[in-house]
Amino acid sequence: NAGVTQTPKFQVLKTGQSMTLQCAQDMNHNSMYWYRQDPGMGLRLIYYSASEGTTDKGEVPNGYNVSRLNKREFSLRLESAAPSQTSVYFCASRRDRGTGYTFGSGTRLTVV
Amino acid sequence: DQQVKQNSPSLSVQEGRISILNCDYTNSMFDYFLWYKKYPAEGPTFLISISSIKDKNEDGRFTVFLNKSAKHLSLHIVPSQPGDSAVYFCAASAFGNRDDKIIFGKGTRLHILP
């Protein structure tokens, strides 16, 4: 039982490049989330998907897009990476409201 | 506008003693509270939660206390062990709201001293 799987684990991008962070969960959870973690800032929500076919903006959505491909997969796309997007990105899923998240192990992204 | 506040960025506690991590919230709609633990280079892992209908929840060495009138919760770890050294995030959500988000605090780094 893998839980939440994120790929890649590490990535270095040049400013202006694009990339997609992949996330998949095998727990049949309904909701999925993308957070970023920066020093002194805690975990900030970028986008979330409460159910298959829906996505909503979180606290810091600018510069990102998401796709809820199916119930298992929720991807995060950076169309034109900026140094301010250097961060550790966590994907999480949740069965329903009233339960906690299960997090992936993170993607460490550096934009130079 | 921080809805979940952890005012202590770090805390050092002697091994075997009690660790107390504090958290304050501002949104009175929050009714479900969680604590997550995070080691370096790993994702956060769920530790313990409490619903607003309770004022205490215990799981082994970990106890969470909720004071709704003060909008304050705390995590007690007794006794503290070296493996407890980690960053702890307080989090909250509003079950009754349409939106599905959990809001996290900035975290407190706990150091357990030998």
Side-chain angles (χ1 to χ4, degrees), chain B residues 15-87:
Chain B
E15 182 179 353
R17 300 286 186 105
I18 182 171
S19 295
I20 300 176
L21 292 87
N22 293 303
C23 178
D24 297 296
Y25 62 95
T26 58
N27 188 341
S28 58
M29 298 298 293
F30 287 149
D31 55 9
Y32 184 62
F33 304 90
L34 311 95
W35 285 94
Y36 279 80
K37 178 179 180 178
K38 185 183 180 304
Y39 292 120
E42 295 183 11
T45 56
F46 171 75
L47 195 56
I48 192 168
S49 64
I50 187 167
S51 161
S52 61
I53 62 173
K54 293 185 174 182
D55 54 20
K56 176 182 174 182
N57 188 27
E58 197 170 350
D59 183 1
R61 296 186 298 113
F62 303 92
T63 303
V64 56
F65 295 92
L66 175 62
N67 182 334
K68 288 188 291 293
S69 61
K71 294 192 177 69
H72 177 83
L73 64 155
S74 60
L75 174 68
H76 292 211
I77 306 173
V78 185
S80 300
Q81 298 176 353
D84 296 331
S85 293
V87 176

Side-chain angles (χ1 to χ4, degrees), chain A residues 5-54:
Chain A
T5 302
Q6 290 184 236
T7 55
K9 292 192 183 304
F10 301 94
Q11 183 72 47
V12 179
L13 289 179
K14 293 182 179 178
T15 297
Q17 286 185 317
S18 63
M19 80 160 293
T20 300
L21 281 64
Q22 306 287 352
C23 175
Q25 52 93 7
D26 62 0
M27 298 170 287
N28 201 35
H29 284 175
N30 291 312
S31 304
M32 297 185 73
Y33 306 81
W34 277 104
Y35 282 84
R36 60 179 286 174
Q37 186 195 9
D38 302 291
M41 300 298 291
L43 291 159
R44 293 184 293 168
L45 182 64
I46 304 171
Y47 270 94
Y48 68 105
S49 170
S51 61
E52 188 179 352
T54 69

Side-chain angles (χ1 to χ4, degrees), chain A residues 58-83:
Chain A
E59 184 184 355
V60 288
N62 291 344
Y64 305 95
N65 283 301
V66 290
S67 295
R68 183 75 183 267
L69 304 168
N70 47 55
K71 192 170 186 180
R72 289 188 63 247
E73 298 171 289
F74 187 39
S75 62
L76 178 72
R77 183 159 179 84
L78 287 70
E79 291 291 352
S80 179

Side-chain angles (χ1 to χ4, degrees), chain A residues 31 33 35 37 40-43 45 48 50 90 94 97-101 103-105, chain B residues 32 34 36 38 41-44 89 93 95-102 104-106:
Chain A
S31 304
Y33 306 81
Y35 282 84
Q37 186 195 9
M41 300 298 291
L43 291 159
L45 182 64
Y48 68 105
F90 290 102
R94 181 185 195 184
R97 285 181 282 175
T99 62
Y101 292 161
F103 281 89
S105 58
Chain B
Y32 184 62
L34 311 95
Y36 279 80
K38 185 183 180 304
E42 295 183 11
F89 291 101
S93 70
F95 183 83
N97 277 3
R98 185 195 67 82
D99 85 38
D100 195 41
K101 302 190 291 278
I102 292 179
F104 287 83
K106 293 185 176 182

